[in-house]
Structures are given as structure tokens and as C-alpha cells.
Amino acid sequence: MELKSKFARVMYYVICSFVAIIFIFPLYYTFINSLRDIFSLPATLLPKGFHWENWEMAFTLIPFMRFLGNSLIILAISIPIGIVTNFTYGYALAKLRAPGSDFIFSLVLCIMMIPTFATQIPQYILFSKLGITNTWWIWVFEAIAGTPYIIFLCRQYLNSIPSALMEAATIDGCNQWQLISKMAIPMSKPLVAIVAFRLFNLHWGDYMTPYMYLSREKWPLIMALFNTSLYVLPGTNTRPAPVVNAAALVLAIPTIILFFLCQKQLQQGSVASGIKG
Amino acid sequence: MIMKANKKRKKLSPMQRSNYRAFYFMMAPFLLLFIVYRLFPMIWGLYISFTNYSGFNMGSMANVGWKNYIRAFEDSQAMISLGRTFLIGIITIPASMVICNVMAIALSMKFKGVGILRTIFYIPSILPAVAVGTMWNGMFLRDGGVFNELVKLFGGEPINWLGYDYIFYSLILMLLWGAGGSVLNNISAIKNISTELIESARLDGAGNWGVIRHIILPMTAPMNYMAVVTGIISTLQMFAQPLMLSGVGMSSVPLQPVYTYMVHAYQQIFANLRFGYGLALTWIVFIIMMVLTLITRRIGDKMSDNIAT
């Protein structure tokens, strides 16, 4: 699509910028209000002062480093294992046809629709019988079980590698392992970035699993925010809204940074895993 | 018959055999955990939904038949919250689709700075729900929140956006902020359309609207279908957003107008320890999701047929 007339082009810019301002505003607003004095009214358009101590409080009001450490443990388990397993499952479903592979693929699609709640409660009972609640094993299991929509994504992406190419490599004497390590993996760099990004989002924003399984000392950062919103300043009745704003941004910023790092791959990847099913 | 039998007895080629072996080897952890981690809990959960399990009475758990399911339909809270959750979906999903498609079409053009616009539009949809709820809670504050400043600017009285009368609309506004979830997919689908296709359509006399209707919409239909399905699933499972928007934590209940179905189920399980009943509630919503997904697929197929022809 192209806009021919100059008027249309100007209108396009005006409207797009307007929409962009609306969409960026909540982030900006939260930012300027994380910097206002705790006892003042919220700022609307321009910052009222720069009270960086609110940010400091967001880190000190809670045992921040411990929560962050817990988050990092969860991510360090989920992302690497998740990349390997989801990629492997996606590869098998895309490139290795065997009796039952269609059935397994439809299983993957089905799991996508099961509400997390419906399995989480019985899973909880199961894990407490096994005595592994309040351990990190839960995330290991979850990572090995694979994430249905990420498996789906991997399968779609790997499907776009031409089979003829792989057959030629097989005839040249490549075994299965070489096919994966020499062809599939080098051709899937954007995919790996996408999967890492998705897994990060999934676990960084997940409050339910930690809430169910972990005791307070093991809570990740997201649970801290769930609680910061209930904090009152010692000795007063005031909810330190600016501190809560700062905490919300602390949670949002890593996602945004990671998006910028993976932006190119995210766009490449959606091209490849696009329409051709 | 003989031909068929011969075919069946035909030996697998070594390559095929190694493929089979590799396939099952690679899928083994998935299948094992599927059974242990998903299928077994699901069936167990289904079983529990027919019992009076309360978290502690595993030994004396009794089968209560369909009682929990009947109760769900008699529980006015459950039905009202389900209706409310539907209403949220009926408003936000189509509205998000319109916003997202318009933006995708607008942002698929080549202009300076279009990348930044895409990013701005996409980012809200990936932020953690807890953070988003917290941020919007601040914007809707009665005293000095930006929405009330706007109202004042136009000479109105400050509104209690987070109060009983308005919080539902506040929630809708907040959810629409995340409308850009599939914008990147839609944009790349639009960019994948060959320029020749569009050019030939233009030669046939199609205007901008014709190009959108006959080329862009059919080509982005799979993305839109996925977006609707994920929209249905995430709306029916909505839980953190109302809690965080209301500014109550996990242990508390949001105001009635944003008391969604999953919040109700959660309350039954964790506050009232009615595991059996709570699980019955989640199974009901699972069935609703399946049905809605199938309907969406039907409509999607029909629509893409209509658009294409």
C-alpha cells in the first residue's frame, strides 16, 4: 500500500503520531509519577521533581536482591532447557514423519486450549505428594514438558526449511544429529531468539506458579510487585504510589529491553513461520 | 487386496527407520511428561470436580456426582461473573481486532520512523499483566490521576474511575491498550504479499479499500484467527488484571463489576477451599473455550471463503 497524495501522507503521520502518543503515554505517565514526592498529587504531563529515592525504595522496601535472584533462578532453568526441548519437539514434528506424529501434533494444539487452572490444582496435589513443592524442580518439569504454543511456533518455523535440502544432505551421508547441528540449528538463529523471548515473558510475568508452589523466601520479583501494591509506609496510612510505579517499571523494563534486543529476529521469525502452515 | 498386503509388508528403508527412531527418541520426554504432567492431572482434576475435596479430606473424599456442576449453574455469582467475562470479551476482542488490523495496515507502509511506531504499539501487549494493572491503577486515581485531569480539562466533575460505576470501563480501556499483540505478525503477513498481486488488482480498478478487502484481509486471516482464539482463551482466563487494576492484592476480591469468572473460581479454591467445586468451574470454562474455538474456526473458514470469492 502506498499513499499517493501529499495530504494523505501528512494525515497518516499526524494520526500515527497521535496514536503512538496515546500508546506510549501510560509508560511515560508511570515514569514521571515514579519520580514525584510521595505525599504530592500525581503529575499529569510534566514531571514534578525528580525523587530518585522512590526508585531506591522500590529496591529496598522489599528484599529486592533475593527476589531478583529467585527470578533469575527460574529464568536460568526455564529458558535454556525450554529452548532445547521446544526446539527438539518442533523439529521432530516438522521434519521427522513417523506413525503417530500427526496425532502428537494435534495433542500439542489441544493442550494450548486447556485452562492453566484446570491442570494446576491437580498438578499441585501431585507435586505435594511427590514432596517437590517449594523446590525448583517444578520449573524443570515444566521446561521438559514443553510449552505448546512455542512447540507450535518451532514446528511452523522449521517446516519452512526445504525438505529437499535435508534429503540432499542425508544422501551425502549426514546422520540425524548432523542434520540438526549442521543445518537446522544454524538456520534457526531467529527462532532461538524468539523462543528465548517468549519463554522469558512467560516466566517473568508468571505469578500463579510461584504463588502456588513456593514459600515467601523463594518468591520471584513479580510476587513482590503483587505485594508492593499493598504496602503502606511505616508509621503512616499512605500507600507509596510513586514507589509502586517505580516497581511496575522495574518489572516492565527488562521485557522492553529484551524486545529491542530480539526485535529483528521477532520480525524475521514471524515472516518465516507465517502463513505457510 | 494382495497389492495392499504387499505394500504393508514392504520393508522400511533404512532412512525411514532411522527417522522413526529419531522421532520417538526426540518426542519421548514430551510424551512421558504429557502423560505424567498434563494428562494425569487433567483426569484427576476431572475426577476431583465430581467430589467434595477440600484440600484436606483426601481420605474421606466422597463422590458427589454432578452436584458441583449443577451448583455452578445455580450459583448466581458464577453465572453473573461468567456473563461479565463474556461481555468483556465481546467488547475487547472485536475492538482489539479492528485497532490491530488498522494499525497493521497503516504500519506496513514504508515511512521514516515506522519501526518505532510498531514498537510502541506492540510493547504494551507483552508487558506483565501485573505491571500493566499497577500502572493503570495509577492513571485512574481519583485525585490527580490523568483521566480525571482530562475530565477536569473539559469542565467535568472528577469521576471515581476505580469505583463501582466506572471500573468496568476502566478495565476495558486498559485491555484495549494491549490490542497490538498480533500486530507484528499481521505486518509481516502484509509485507509478504507480492507487490505484483496488489498492482494487478489496482489495474483491475481496485481502490485502497478493495485492496484491503480482497487481498490484505484474506492474507492476514490466519493471523487474525489465531489472535481471536488467543483472545478468547486469555479473556476467559483473565485473573490478574482486575485484581491489580483495583489495587487489591491476591488475597482480596475486586469490586463486583470486574469480578471475573476466574477470580470466582480462584476464590472457591483458595479462599473457600472448595476444590471440587472450583475445578468444576474450570472444566465448565474449558468446555466453553473449546466450543468457542470451534465456532471461531467455522466462522473464520466461511469468512475467508467469502472474502476470497
Side-chain angles (χ1 to χ4, degrees), chain A residues 61-110:
Chain A
L61 214 56
I62 50 167
F64 181 84
M65 289 321 271
R66 200 180 67 205
F67 283 137
L68 179 67
N70 293 336
S71 283
L72 291 181
I73 292 173
I74 289 177
L75 294 173
I77 294 170
S78 308
I79 296 180
I81 302 179
I83 289 175
V84 173
T85 54
N86 288 306
F87 182 86
T88 312
Y89 303 152
Y91 177 84
L93 288 170
K95 288 295 163 207
L96 304 170
R97 314 231 43 104
S101 58
D102 287 334
F103 174 71
I104 294 174
F105 183 57
S106 52
L107 271 186
V108 173
L109 293 181
C110 265

Side-chain angles (χ1 to χ4, degrees), chain A residues 9 12-13 23 29 89 91 96-97 99 114-116 122-123 142 144 146 176 207 211 226 244 259 263 270, chain B residues 19 23-24 26 30 33 37-38 41-42 106 111-112 119 121-122 134 146 177 185 188 237 240 244 266 286:
Chain A
R9 224 171 291 170
Y12 170 86
Y13 259 118
F23 271 82
Y29 183 79
Y89 303 152
Y91 177 84
L96 304 170
R97 314 231 43 104
I114 303 168
T116 34
Q123 269 167 13
E142 206 174 291
I144 297 175
Q176 206 51 250
Y207 48 89
Y211 179 72
F226 240 128
V244 177
F259 171 76
Q263 197 180 11
S270 52
Chain B
N19 267 359
F23 179 82
Y24 293 119
M26 286 164 91
F30 174 83
L33 270 132
Y37 183 79
R38 296 193 209 272
M42 247 180 85
F111 277 101
K112 233 186 193 167
T119 308
F121 189 58
Y122 177 66
T134 313
V146 66
W177 188 50
N185 290 339
S188 49
Q237 292 201 53
M244 297 314 288
Y266 174 86
F286 174 45

Side-chain angles (χ1 to χ4, degrees), chain A residues 36-41 57 61 228-244, chain B residues 141:
Chain A
R36 73 179 155 96
D37 183 69
I38 286 184
F39 299 102
S40 70
L41 279 178
M57 269 177 90
L61 214 56
T228 344
S229 60
L230 299 177
Y231 274 150
V232 287
L233 285 183
T236 61
N237 259 336
T238 327
R239 259 187 64 192
V243 179
V244 177
Chain B
L141 279 187

Side-chain angles (χ1 to χ4, degrees), chain A residues 135-158:
Chain A
T135 66
W136 306 115
W137 279 107
I138 289 140
W139 280 268
V140 177
F141 280 123
E142 206 174 291
I144 297 175
T147 314
Y149 83 88
I150 297 179
I151 299 177
F152 178 74
L153 202 83
C154 292
R155 181 206 180 249
Q156 298 299 87
Y157 187 95
L158 291 163

Side-chain angles (χ1 to χ4, degrees), chain B residues 10-285:
Chain B
K10 204 180 79 179
K11 268 197 174 170
L12 294 170
S13 71
M15 188 185 147
Q16 252 172 334
R17 210 179 312 143
S18 95
N19 267 359
Y20 286 9
R21 220 179 302 137
F23 179 82
Y24 293 119
F25 177 73
M26 286 164 91
M27 291 309 286
F30 174 83
L31 290 171
L32 181 72
L33 270 132
F34 173 76
I35 293 166
V36 179
Y37 183 79
R38 296 193 209 272
L39 192 64
F40 174 59
M42 247 180 85
I43 294 169
W44 197 359
L46 189 61
Y47 169 68
I48 289 174
S49 74
F50 287 100
T51 67
N52 61 354
Y53 184 54
S54 67
F56 302 104
N57 60 347
M58 194 60 107
S60 61
M61 194 157 72
N63 197 321
V64 294
W66 289 93
K67 226 170 115 191
N68 285 328
Y69 288 86
I70 296 166
R71 183 177 178 177
F73 290 96
E74 285 168 351
D75 177 357
S76 61
Q77 281 276 47
M79 285 302 116
I80 291 174
S81 63
L82 183 61
R84 190 178 288 132
T85 313
F86 270 129
L87 187 61
I88 294 173
I90 290 168
I91 299 170
T92 55
I93 297 172
S96 306
M97 294 309 297
V98 172
I99 297 173
C100 191
N101 277 293
V102 170
M103 290 309 285
I105 292 168
L107 299 181
S108 63
M109 293 184 227
K110 259 190 202 142
F111 277 101
K112 233 186 193 167
V114 81
I116 294 170
L117 294 180
R118 275 177 209 159
T119 308
I120 289 174
F121 189 58
Y122 177 66
I123 273 183
S125 71
I126 52 167
L127 296 179
V130 176
V132 172
T134 313
M135 287 163 58
W136 282 75
N137 176 273
M139 306 223 311
F140 282 123
L141 279 187
R142 189 192 168 93
D143 296 315
V146 66
F147 281 93
N148 268 346
E149 291 299 314
L150 258 178
V151 170
K152 268 196 242 163
L153 198 70
F154 290 104
E157 283 290 302
I159 290 171
N160 190 2
W161 289 96
L162 299 174
Y164 197 90
D165 293 332
Y166 288 95
I167 192 166
F168 182 79
Y169 306 105
S170 308
L171 179 70
I172 301 277
L173 273 180
M174 180 183 105
L175 292 173
L176 289 182
W177 188 50
S182 73
V183 75
L184 293 186
N185 290 339
N186 281 27
I187 289 173
S188 49
I190 295 172
K191 283 185 151 183
N192 263 359
I193 301 171
S194 70
T195 40
E196 287 141 44
L197 190 64
I198 293 180
E199 237 126 71
S200 68
R202 288 217 187 276
L203 284 181
D204 288 345
N208 273 342
W209 173 242
V211 170
I212 290 172
R213 200 180 117 88
H214 295 289
I215 298 175
I216 292 182
L217 284 182
M219 293 301 261
T220 51
M223 275 72 193
N224 286 334
Y225 166 71
M226 275 305 276
V228 171
V229 171
T230 47
I232 291 171
I233 294 174
S234 63
T235 306
L236 284 171
Q237 292 201 53
M238 191 186 307
F239 176 76
Q241 290 91 335
L243 289 177
M244 297 314 288
L245 179 67
S246 315
V248 300
M250 231 164 167
S251 47
S252 200
V253 196
L255 283 176
Q256 271 299 316
V258 290
Y259 185 81
T260 53
Y261 186 78
M262 269 301 153
V263 175
H264 186 63
Y266 174 86
Q267 285 296 320
Q268 298 315 308
I269 295 170
F270 289 97
N272 304 335
L273 295 179
R274 297 178 190 138
F275 278 70
Y277 180 44
L279 280 171
L281 288 174
T282 58
W283 272 92
I284 291 171
V285 85

